[in-house]
């Protein structure tokens, strides 16, 4: 039987892997940004304990309660019964919206007393909007409905909707796991509930808990009233009804258990299955690589609270900060201290601007994480302190906003200009290996494309390379503006006053030396023009930054012997440091370099893919008394 099951599973895996599946890309944090875990749970069968509580962990093994183990939501305000149980929490596909579903129930009124569930939605894990869905009231032919238990949510890529699944018992029949899809704002269910799963023996099952692994969906569920243990079924399509039951039970105890929750450890292929050993008032944790064989790891686990049926989700440093700002830092909890990267998610080729209009800083970048540098949109982030960055959203989408290119959105730059008493923002960007320009009245956009490529040709005498990586610079001495660009060569041209066209008779090739690859950055300080560029390839761990100086924005360049200023630091796991911009703090001789690097910790092991899984960092840049840029130490 075991061999037959594995053969079926292998066939399912091949089936799910062989289809042409387009890459999905989340706008929120990447896995590298997760630094801990949030455990949502309730505490017991007394009314005061039937409420949502939170705990946090840095490692997934040791948990500390937030808010002194008191509820973080008022059950009376969000439920119809005055109590809630079985919280299941999920991060949405956008990476920044959170969904939680709850059993609307207080056991003091009886185990067959509830008919409803609660749907909640949040953008910060602190403030939630809620809706009560009473199945008996919403749907017909539910007169003999006895109970609605343990809802959970999962995103269904086949329908591009959030599936909510839960168990119901009608009359003397078995508990059956049903499903329906949530509406777009997660306040209600669409359509009639449908059966998701019934075991072959037609007996009761509750507490379904589904995880996706390599395109297959693994559902752990409890055999209610007969065995009271955790079993497993697998499918490659959530709503297909084609679940393959697996032999045996997955809990590693002879005691009755329920409320399983499965999650994967961050940056790991290890899964944790935890479940409520409810008759003994304790939780058990087990570990697995294949979701088939589990081993108990109770000796590695610690909790300063006693949870009932809950769920665990990975969270970022900023989310931990938001939670602890609201409910305090638990004693003994080690707060994350890394400040780099400064953006959550995969981003690269950063450009930074200080806006005199808003008195804020803005970061513009390549949206990374797409295979083969295949991104197609640009975003911006704003900050008033260079540390905390707000996602301002997409400011230019090639597929929607640009008529002459729809792929390879790379390496933008921007300049603020005073125009007729107001401000204009000129945004130069790479698209399909050409350079375009878009204009806005605000640094956060939206930007309007000029309608054609600005640079779609090679300068005279240049044979190879690409027309990418623009940089724009306004000469404080003359007021003239210049556009620089190139890969394998460095070119410059003066911009016309309209800032959306160049003076072609001013085009000049000024490639520094053989170390020049791409990513020119120009700035001015104390009478000198500084030219920074990246050496090697962005896929290389040795991608790094060199510089030259000049007394003119168009050269000639003076290249010093020791001009390498930013490179990898293997001791810190930092590799591929390059493609930078520079910012001066207004009114001060205080400077920072903004650059990308391979993502930590996995980038160095990713091969070429490290070149499109990058993260943005900021470090201080200092000068000696002669104006030389000091070697920059990349930091965490």
């Amino acid at each position: 039987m075991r061999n037959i099951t594995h053969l079926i599973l292998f066939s399912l895996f091949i089936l799910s892997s062989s289809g042409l599946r387009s890459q999905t890309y989340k706008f929120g944090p990447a896995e590298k940004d997760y630094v801990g875990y949030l455990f949502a749970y309730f505490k017991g069968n007394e009314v005061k304990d039937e409420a949502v509580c939170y705990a946090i962990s840095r490692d997934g093994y040791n948990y500390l309660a937030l808010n002194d183990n008191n509820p973080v939501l008022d059950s009376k305000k969000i439920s119809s019964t005055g109590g809630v149980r079985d919280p299941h929490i999920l991060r949405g596909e956008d990476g920044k919206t959170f969904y939680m579903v709850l059993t609307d129930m207080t056991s003091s009124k009886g185990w067959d007393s509830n008919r409803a569930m609660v749907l909640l939605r949040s953008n910060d894990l602190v403030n939630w909007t809620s809706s009560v869905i009473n199945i008996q009231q919403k749907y017909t032919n539910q007169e003999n409905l006895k109970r609605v238990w343990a809802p959970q949510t999962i995103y269904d890529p086949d329908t591009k909707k959030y599936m909510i699944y839960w168990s119901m018992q009608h009359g003397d029949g078995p508990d059956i796991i049903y499903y329906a899809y949530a509406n777009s704002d997660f306040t209600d269910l669409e359509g009639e509930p449908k059966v998701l799963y019934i075991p072959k023996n037609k007996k009761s099952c509750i507490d379904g808990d589904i995880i996706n692994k390599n395109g297959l969906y693994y559902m752990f569920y409890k055999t209610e009233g007969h065995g009271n243990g955790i079993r497993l079924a697998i499918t490659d399509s959530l709503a297909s009804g084609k679940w393959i039951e697996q032999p045996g039970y997955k809990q590693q105890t002879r005691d009755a258990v329920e409320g399983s929750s499965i999650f994967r450890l961050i940056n790991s292929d290890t899964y944790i299955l935890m479940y409520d050993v409810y008759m003994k008032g304790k939780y058990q944790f087990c570990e697995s690589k294949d979701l088939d064989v589990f081993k108990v790891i109770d000796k590695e686990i610690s909790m300063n609270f006693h949870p009932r049926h809950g769920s665990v989700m990975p969270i970022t440093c900023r989310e931990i900060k938001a939670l602890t700002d609201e409910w305090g830092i638990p004693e003994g909890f080690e707060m994350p201290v890394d400040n780099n990267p400064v953006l959550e998610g995969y981003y690269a080729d950063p450009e930074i601007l200080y806006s005199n209009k808003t008195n804020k800083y803005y970061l513009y970048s390549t949206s990374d994480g797409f295979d083969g540098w295949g991104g197609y949109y640009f975003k911006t982030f704003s900050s008033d302190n260079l540390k905390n960055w707000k996602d301002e959203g997409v400011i230019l989408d090639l597929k929607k906003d640009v008529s002459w290119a729809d792929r390879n959105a790379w390496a933008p730059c921007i300049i603020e200009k005073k125009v007729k008493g107001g401000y204009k923002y000129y945004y130069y960007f790479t698209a399909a290996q050409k350079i375009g320009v878009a204009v806005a009245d605000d640094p956060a956009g939206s930007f309007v494309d000029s309608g054609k490529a600005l640079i779609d040709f090679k300068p005279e005498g240049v044979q190879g390379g690409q027309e990418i990586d623009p940089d724009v610079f306004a000469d404080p001495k003359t007021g003239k503006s210049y556009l620089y660009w190139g890969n394998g060569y460095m070119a410059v041209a003066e911009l016309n006053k309209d800032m959306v066209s160049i003076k072609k008779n001013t085009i000049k090739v000024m490639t520094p030396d053989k170390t020049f690859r791409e990513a020119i950055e120009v700035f001015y300080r104390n009478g000198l023009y500084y030219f920074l560029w990246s050496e090697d390839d962005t896929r290389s761990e040795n991608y790094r930054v060199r510089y030259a100086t000049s007394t003119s924005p168009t050269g000639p360049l003076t290249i010093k012997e020791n001009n390498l200023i930013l490179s990898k630091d293997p001791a810190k796991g930092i590799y591929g440091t390059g493609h930078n911009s520079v910012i001066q703090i207004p009114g001060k001789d205080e400077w920072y370099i903004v650059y990308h690097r391979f993502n930590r910790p996995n980038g160095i092991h990713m091969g070429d893919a490290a070149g499109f899984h990058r993260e943005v960092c900021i470090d201080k840049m200092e000068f000696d008394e002669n104006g030389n840029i000091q070697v920059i130490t990349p930091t965490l």
Side-chain angles (χ1 to χ4, degrees):
M1 177 65 185
R2 187 179 179 87
N3 290 335
I4 294 173
T5 300
H6 283 182
L7 180 62
I8 296 172
L9 278 179
F10 179 75
S11 300
L12 271 178
F13 176 76
I14 295 298
L15 197 66
S16 66
S17 301
S18 61
L20 295 177
R21 295 178 181 266
S22 60
Q23 180 184 12
T24 57
Y25 182 80
K26 290 189 177 183
F27 289 87
E31 183 164 3
K32 69 179 182 61
D33 299 306
Y34 296 133
V35 298
Y37 303 83
L38 174 64
F39 186 0
Y41 61 95
F42 79 104
K43 292 191 293 186
N45 295 336
E46 294 185 38
V47 174
K48 66 181 179 62
D49 292 333
E50 292 175 313
V52 178
C53 296
Y54 280 169
I56 52 177
S57 170
R58 287 299 309 277
D59 59 8
Y61 296 92
N62 301 284
Y63 293 84
L64 294 169
L66 289 175
N67 199 30
D68 294 325
N69 199 29
N70 292 312
V72 297
L73 292 172
D74 186 342
S75 297
K76 294 182 179 61
K77 292 182 178 179
I78 62 174
S79 71
S80 62
T81 62
V84 296
R85 302 166 64 96
D86 318 320
H88 180 262
I89 193 164
L90 175 75
R91 184 187 300 271
E93 288 297 289
D94 65 0
K96 58 187 179 183
T97 304
F98 302 96
Y99 304 99
M100 186 155 53
V101 287
L102 309 165
T103 304
D104 186 344
M105 175 182 176
T106 174
S107 59
S108 62
K109 297 178 181 177
W111 295 107
D112 297 332
S113 64
N114 77 304
R115 310 289 185 269
M117 67 179 77
V118 182
L119 277 56
L120 301 101
R121 178 174 175 165
S122 174
N123 293 320
D124 60 8
L125 295 172
V126 175
N127 302 289
W128 295 83
T129 58
S130 64
S131 304
V132 172
I133 311 299
N134 188 299
I135 300 298
Q136 197 167 56
Q137 294 175 4
K138 179 176 175 63
Y139 299 104
T140 59
N141 302 318
Q142 297 287 333
E143 292 80 10
N144 65 342
L145 176 63
K146 291 177 64 177
R147 58 197 186 201
V148 173
W149 279 0
Q152 294 202 177
T153 309
I154 189 169
Y155 180 76
D156 185 348
D158 293 336
T159 61
K160 295 182 172 58
K161 294 181 180 181
Y162 291 95
M163 173 189 281
I164 298 175
Y165 55 99
W166 69 99
S167 64
M168 292 194 292
Q169 184 186 28
H170 293 81
D172 295 326
D175 293 271
I176 295 171
I177 298 177
Y178 292 81
Y179 77 94
Y181 290 102
N183 63 1
S184 59
D185 58 3
F186 208 75
T187 58
D188 204 351
L189 302 179
E190 296 179 343
E192 295 281 330
K194 298 179 180 178
V195 172
L196 181 71
Y197 181 72
I198 305 177
K200 289 180 180 179
N201 62 15
K202 306 299 182 184
K203 294 184 179 181
S204 289
C205 60
I206 65 170
D207 293 357
D209 178 42
I210 302 174
I211 191 169
N212 185 320
K213 180 178 184 287
N214 296 332
L216 296 177
Y217 297 94
Y218 293 69
M219 180 168 67
F220 297 84
Y221 62 92
K222 179 192 174 185
T223 55
E224 172 71 357
H226 57 100
N228 292 331
I230 307 297
R231 297 201 63 173
L232 174 64
I234 305 175
T235 187
D236 66 346
S237 179
L238 284 168
S240 67
K242 298 176 181 179
W243 292 87
I244 300 175
E245 290 186 33
Q246 301 301 293
Y249 284 83
K250 299 305 176 185
Q251 79 277 8
Q252 302 298 300
T253 176
R254 294 183 178 182
D255 295 308
V257 302
E258 64 184 13
S260 71
S261 178
I262 185 84
F263 65 95
R264 184 171 60 83
L265 292 176
I266 300 163
N267 294 312
S268 168
D269 61 356
T270 297
Y271 291 81
I272 302 294
L273 174 68
M274 61 183 200
Y275 41 78
D276 187 352
V277 190
Y278 58 95
M279 298 297 289
K280 291 194 171 181
K282 70 173 188 176
Y283 249 79
Q284 184 163 79
F285 282 65
C286 299
E287 231 176 36
S288 176
K289 300 272 188 190
D290 60 6
L291 297 183
D292 180 30
V293 178
F294 291 85
K295 68 173 183 177
V296 175
I297 55 169
D298 287 351
K299 292 182 179 179
E300 301 175 45
I301 304 301
S302 69
M303 293 181 283
N304 65 346
F305 56 98
H306 297 285
R308 297 291 311 279
H309 192 156
S311 55
V312 171
M313 177 184 74
I315 52 178
T316 67
C317 182
R318 291 180 188 179
E319 290 158 359
I320 287 177
K321 185 176 186 304
L323 292 166
T324 54
D325 283 351
E326 181 71 18
W327 290 295
I329 302 172
E331 184 178 352
F333 185 78
E334 178 189 352
M335 286 292 288
V337 295
D338 292 355
N339 295 316
N340 272 328
V342 294
L343 302 181
E344 292 178 352
Y346 295 119
Y347 297 95
D349 312 326
E351 165 80 352
I352 192 165
L353 169 79
Y354 178 79
S355 169
N356 291 291
K357 176 180 179 180
T358 65
N359 298 318
K360 291 182 180 180
Y361 300 94
Y362 293 82
L363 263 177
Y364 306 85
S365 64
T366 298
S367 295
D368 223 18
F370 293 89
D371 290 344
W373 301 275
Y376 56 89
Y377 61 84
F378 294 101
K379 300 180 76 174
T380 190
F381 301 82
S382 65
S383 174
D384 57 11
N385 59 11
L386 294 179
K387 294 180 181 179
N388 303 310
W389 293 90
K390 176 187 176 184
D391 187 342
E392 298 282 358
V394 174
I395 59 171
L396 191 71
D397 185 323
L398 299 186
K399 295 185 177 181
K400 297 178 182 177
D401 307 324
V402 175
S403 60
W404 51 270
D406 64 357
R407 59 181 173 83
N408 302 117
W410 302 342
C413 65
I414 193 168
I415 193 169
E416 179 186 72
K417 285 281 188 177
K418 198 75 176 285
V419 179
K420 296 180 181 179
Y423 288 100
K424 289 282 187 183
Y425 297 86
Y426 299 91
Y427 185 74
Y428 305 86
F429 59 94
T430 306
Q433 289 73 47
K434 305 179 184 70
I435 294 171
V437 57
V439 185
D441 296 323
D442 189 88
S446 58
F447 285 82
V448 178
D449 179 58
S450 68
K452 60 182 180 180
L454 175 58
I455 306 293
D456 58 359
F457 58 87
K458 294 189 188 303
E460 185 177 348
V462 171
Q463 299 300 318
Q466 302 179 85
E467 289 61 70
I468 64 173
D469 292 5
D471 184 51
V472 61
F473 171 72
D475 186 355
K477 288 186 176 180
T478 65
K480 294 179 180 180
S481 295
Y482 297 87
L483 187 72
Y484 304 82
W485 73 93
N487 160 271
Y489 68 90
M490 186 180 93
V492 63
E494 186 182 338
L495 285 155
N496 287 312
K497 287 186 177 180
D498 64 7
M499 298 296 289
V500 297
S501 61
I502 63 170
K503 297 179 180 179
K504 287 199 171 183
N505 63 346
T506 66
I507 294 175
K508 178 182 179 180
V509 176
M510 50 184 302
T511 310
D513 59 23
K514 291 183 179 180
T515 67
F516 181 87
R517 177 62 176 264
E518 59 198 8
I520 191 68
E521 166 74 3
V522 182
F523 67 92
Y524 178 84
R525 176 185 182 270
N526 293 350
L528 278 179
Y529 299 84
Y530 291 79
F531 296 76
L532 282 63
W533 67 88
S534 292
E535 177 185 9
D536 211 330
D537 187 278
T538 194
R539 290 167 287 193
S540 167
E541 66 179 79
N542 297 313
Y543 197 55
R544 52 194 185 177
V545 178
R546 294 185 182 271
Y547 84 104
T549 59
S550 178
T551 56
S552 162
T554 58
L557 300 178
T558 299
I559 302 175
K560 304 202 175 209
E561 184 176 351
N562 299 314
N563 71 336
L564 178 63
I565 58 170
L566 180 64
S567 58
K568 66 183 180 182
D569 187 342
K572 296 177 183 172
I574 296 175
Y575 300 91
T577 51
H579 200 126
N580 70 280
S581 58
V582 170
I583 189 72
Q584 179 184 11
I585 303 301
K588 299 180 180 180
D589 188 27
E590 184 179 343
W591 299 78
Y592 292 88
I593 187 169
V594 189
Y595 60 95
H596 72 235
R597 69 187 185 200
F598 288 0
N599 83 79
R600 292 179 72 252
N602 295 327
I604 191 60
H605 308 295
M606 294 177 70
D608 282 357
F612 45 83
H613 288 86
R614 298 162 293 181
E615 57 193 20
V616 171
C617 300
I618 300 178
D619 278 308
K620 197 161 190 180
M621 188 171 73
E622 297 180 309
F623 305 82
D624 67 16
E625 64 275 9
N626 297 316
N628 300 310
I629 301 176
Q630 305 278 55
V631 173
I632 296 157
T633 301
T635 73
L636 302 178

